[in-house]
Amino acid sequence: MAMQRRLTKATQEGKWRRVKALQRWLTHSFSAKALAVKRVTENQGKRTAGVDQQLWDSPSQKLAAIAQLKRHGYRPLPLRRVYIPKANGKMRPLGIPTMRDRAMQALHLLALDPVLETRSDPNSYGFRKYRATADAMSQLFLNLSKKDSATWVLDADIEGFFDNINHDWMASNVLMDRVILKKWLKSGVVDRGQLVSTDAGTPQGGIISPALANWTLNGLEKELKEHLIARFKTRGAKERKVNVVRYADDFVVTGQSKETLEHEVKPWIEHFLAVRGLRLSESKTRIVQIEDGFDFLGWNFRKYTGKLLIKPSKKNTKAFYEKLRKVIGDNLAATQESLIHLLNPMLRGWAQYHSPVVAKKAFTKMESRLHWRLLRWAMRRHPNKNRDWIRKRYWRPVADKANVFTADVITKDGKKGARELYSLPDTAIERHKKIKGEFHPYDPQWEAEGEKLRQDRMLKNLRYRRELATLYMDQSGLCALCGCEMDMGTGWHDHHIEYRVAGGSDALGNRVLLHPTCHARVHSQNIKVVKPVPA
């Protein structure tokens, strides 16, 4: 982190030779190499192998992997092509690098990210530290909600973004080791047993791919506004209410008139993208009035009689219901407890995603459709029983609710308990606190802002578990074993200092929060954790 702060300062001062020297120093550091290996062996893809079918499972393999991260003689292997389904029914191609190539990407990302953050557009929110889709939504609300706000929107879509980025442009403009970058871009792909060369684009699936994608589109906001100011002098972007909000390769541009977006903004964007080997999709790019509405990041933005309302989009709602339907259909023989265990994380995640917008009506409708689907699931299990018997068997009154899908369970201490299905309508609607556009995670002057932001968002996520929120506050957001930060990216586990099997209680004094990997170390190596003293 100290080296990344120095990189940030050098970038802000425009000392590019020093930036290059610091990046080289960082990528040759043992600590950075160890951190890169740690990242690729502890994330969700740690059990997904590349074309060499190798995984780094044991501590000895991880230690040996650190020594493999050398620039001299490095030659990446081709990517392994896999396909995952998209929402529209088509397949999205992913390129899976080998473990060594992933670790090299993670290592060079440590050196690239501070430079990228310094040069990024203020309203770019995709795949950046502490930024989320809700921040992009909040910025659009600020741009469109007032009476005198822009009334037209360019809803843009880039055709085949990851597949068409110009390699020569990337090699000339991305501020990182160009030799290593070119090797990654030209490594090729093994698709259905055939080696295919890669002449353009950056593969989806690599650790550094989102950073390269962001770098490609950086300048879209700043340079567009500079162009409009130069073109119209005093009547620049501000007077024409031109604002850009981007999340990765998805972006929208607001404007005061259709003519501005059609004849000034869109041609400039087309030229901006053409330099990078990209182009707008003619079928999906459109200019609409805010009264007609548009979809962005799973939400629908539309003004009703002058008031902007943001709701879950129909497409997002339909896709989520289909996901629920498939899970229920695939678990016709599962117990009620198991089904609730599968559905609750899905319901809670979808509800929390839409909790900052006008979603009560969507939540209620989804709850009703889910109730009907679960009723069919239960009737299939008991074809000879009537609906009243089934409702009494699977639904019961809880607190002030008449009927809740509830299963009997046995708790850890052997007592009888109940597990309820998460209630969508009970999700609180709460306005999202937007991150400041100028926020820089590696700049010391934003340190206090970053700490507060991280703590507020973690506490919001833990709100449904008050005990975990208390533990998080007592530990100042730090892991009780390694002392490093815990956030949404790292995750956390609830650990009992004196094990339950040894008579330990569930009291907060006997519990701490640990990183998932630290928790695994505690149990595999029999490490004694000490309760940290609250600050």
Side-chain angles (χ1 to χ4, degrees):
M1 182 62 79
M3 187 66 71
Q4 290 176 318
R5 288 174 178 168
R6 293 173 66 182
L7 264 169
T8 299
K9 184 179 179 181
T11 306
Q12 290 170 340
E13 295 173 352
K15 298 179 179 178
W16 306 118
R17 293 184 64 181
R18 180 162 178 77
V19 168
K20 186 176 180 180
L22 289 171
Q23 285 183 325
R24 179 179 174 82
W25 192 356
L26 180 57
T27 54
H28 285 71
S29 162
F30 176 85
S31 299
K33 292 178 180 180
L35 188 59
V37 172
K38 182 177 186 292
R39 175 173 179 176
V40 301
T41 55
E42 294 179 358
N43 60 15
Q44 293 183 348
K46 64 183 179 181
R47 301 201 180 280
T48 304
V51 293
D52 61 353
Q53 297 299 313
Q54 291 185 7
L55 294 176
W56 294 340
D57 295 326
S58 65
S60 59
Q61 287 177 316
K62 296 176 185 179
L63 183 61
I66 297 176
Q68 297 179 30
L69 303 185
K70 296 179 179 180
R71 183 180 187 275
H72 182 68
Y74 171 66
R75 184 178 180 181
L77 293 176
L79 306 170
R80 181 169 68 89
R81 176 72 80 207
V82 296
Y83 294 89
I84 60 172
K86 297 170 65 175
N88 58 8
K90 296 181 180 180
M91 303 299 288
R92 183 191 304 277
L94 294 183
I96 308 299
T98 63
M99 293 297 292
R100 184 191 181 196
D101 294 336
R102 269 178 261 177
M104 281 292 285
Q105 290 186 15
L107 175 62
H108 283 268
L109 181 59
L110 291 172
L112 176 64
D113 202 40
V115 184
L116 174 62
E117 283 290 338
T118 307
R119 294 171 62 91
S120 290
D121 290 326
N123 292 307
S124 165
Y125 298 98
F127 305 109
R128 294 177 61 190
K129 269 192 169 185
Y130 305 118
R131 298 184 184 231
T133 53
D135 293 305
M137 176 272 296
S138 300
Q139 182 61 35
L140 271 177
F141 180 83
L142 294 174
N143 293 341
L144 297 169
S145 60
K146 299 176 183 177
K147 290 184 179 179
D148 60 344
S149 295
T151 56
W152 289 86
V153 174
L154 171 64
D155 183 11
D157 183 88
I158 301 176
E159 187 175 328
F161 174 71
F162 281 93
D163 297 330
N164 296 308
I165 304 175
N166 186 283
H167 283 181
D168 293 334
W169 185 91
M170 294 181 71
S172 301
N173 290 273
V174 179
L175 293 178
M176 65 168 290
D177 191 320
R178 294 179 182 178
V179 174
I180 296 293
L181 177 59
K182 287 180 179 180
K183 287 182 178 181
W184 286 334
L185 296 176
K186 302 295 184 181
S187 62
V189 176
V190 175
D191 189 0
R192 300 180 180 91
Q194 298 293 322
L195 178 61
V196 181
S197 62
T198 48
D199 300 320
T202 178
Q204 299 183 62
I207 287 178
I208 204 170
S209 295
L212 297 178
N214 270 334
W215 194 287
T216 302
L217 293 180
N218 272 341
L220 182 64
E221 178 183 359
K222 294 177 182 177
E223 293 177 22
L224 174 58
K225 291 186 176 182
E226 290 172 359
H227 163 75
L228 292 174
I229 291 172
R231 177 84 166 80
F232 299 102
K233 305 302 179 184
T234 57
R235 297 180 301 155
K238 186 174 182 180
E239 288 73 12
R240 292 172 180 263
K241 298 173 183 176
V242 174
N243 293 286
V244 181
V245 177
R246 179 168 66 86
Y247 189 91
D249 61 320
D250 295 326
F251 66 93
V252 295
V253 186
T254 65
Q256 182 60 23
S257 66
K258 183 178 181 180
E259 290 71 23
T260 298
L261 296 177
E262 184 74 48
H263 302 299
E264 296 294 339
V265 173
K266 187 178 178 182
W268 184 91
I269 292 176
E270 288 174 339
H271 178 265
F272 176 88
L273 295 176
V275 174
R276 292 153 175 78
L278 304 170
R279 64 179 181 179
L280 293 175
S281 171
E282 294 183 6
S283 60
K284 297 181 181 180
T285 300
R286 60 197 186 110
I287 298 175
V288 297
Q289 271 191 310
I290 190 60
E291 285 77 12
D292 296 329
F294 65 96
D295 291 348
F296 185 60
L297 300 176
W299 292 298
N300 179 262
F301 297 76
R302 185 178 176 183
K303 269 191 175 179
Y304 299 82
T305 61
K307 184 176 182 179
L308 179 68
L309 295 183
I310 307 173
K311 304 177 181 180
S313 69
K314 291 182 180 179
K315 182 179 178 181
N316 179 273
T317 303
K318 181 180 178 180
F320 180 67
Y321 177 71
E322 287 299 315
K323 190 177 179 181
L324 293 176
R325 185 185 65 79
K326 186 177 187 306
V327 169
I328 295 172
D330 291 343
N331 290 274
L332 297 175
T335 63
Q336 186 184 16
E337 179 189 355
S338 298
L339 186 60
I340 293 175
H341 181 74
L342 289 172
L343 292 176
N344 273 356
M346 298 168 58
L347 294 169
R348 184 178 291 111
W350 188 74
Q352 289 180 347
Y353 183 84
H354 293 295
S355 62
V357 303
V358 183
K360 279 292 184 183
K361 185 176 179 180
F363 288 165
T364 302
K365 186 175 180 180
M366 184 64 70
E367 182 93 347
S368 176
R369 297 180 71 184
L370 179 60
H371 175 85
W372 176 80
R373 180 60 62 180
L374 290 173
L375 183 61
R376 288 192 61 185
W377 173 86
M379 291 175 64
R380 183 185 179 95
R381 295 168 65 88
H382 306 281
N384 297 324
K385 300 292 184 179
N386 59 38
R387 291 196 177 191
D388 288 338
W389 184 93
I390 289 173
R391 285 194 175 98
K392 290 178 182 178
R393 168 69 175 79
Y394 291 98
W395 282 265
R396 67 186 67 173
V398 176
D400 57 342
K401 303 174 191 175
N403 292 298
V404 179
F405 193 71
T406 308
D408 293 322
V409 296
I410 304 298
T411 61
K412 293 179 180 179
D413 52 5
K415 297 181 180 179
K416 288 186 177 181
R419 173 172 287 173
E420 306 169 17
L421 187 70
Y422 181 84
S423 174
L424 290 173
D426 287 349
T427 304
I429 303 298
E430 184 178 356
R431 179 68 60 84
H432 176 77
K433 185 177 180 181
K434 178 187 171 296
I435 193 172
K436 294 181 180 178
E438 300 78 18
F439 176 81
H440 196 308
Y442 301 105
D443 193 333
Q445 68 173 335
W446 291 97
E447 181 68 21
E449 182 83 14
E451 287 181 351
K452 187 176 186 306
L453 187 70
R454 181 174 62 253
Q455 187 177 89
D456 290 346
R457 293 188 178 180
M458 276 289 290
L459 290 176
K460 181 180 178 181
N461 187 266
L462 293 172
R463 189 169 298 163
Y464 69 96
R465 300 278 301 272
R466 293 185 179 180
E467 293 180 346
L468 295 184
T470 302
L471 291 173
Y472 182 81
M473 289 293 292
D474 289 345
Q475 295 176 208
S476 301
L478 305 178
C479 173
L481 182 66
C482 69
C484 297
E485 296 175 355
M486 291 183 297
D487 55 25
M488 302 300 297
T490 64
W492 62 89
H493 281 179
D494 185 2
H495 171 71
H496 289 73
I497 297 174
E498 185 177 356
Y499 295 173
R500 291 292 306 278
V501 295
S505 70
D506 278 331
L508 293 182
N510 189 47
R511 293 158 61 190
V512 291
L513 295 183
L514 305 172
H515 289 129
T517 52
C518 291
H519 195 201
R521 281 183 56 207
V522 166
H523 286 281
S524 64
Q525 302 176 19
N526 198 25
I527 300 174
K528 185 67 175 179
V529 181
V530 179
K531 182 78 173 179
V533 179

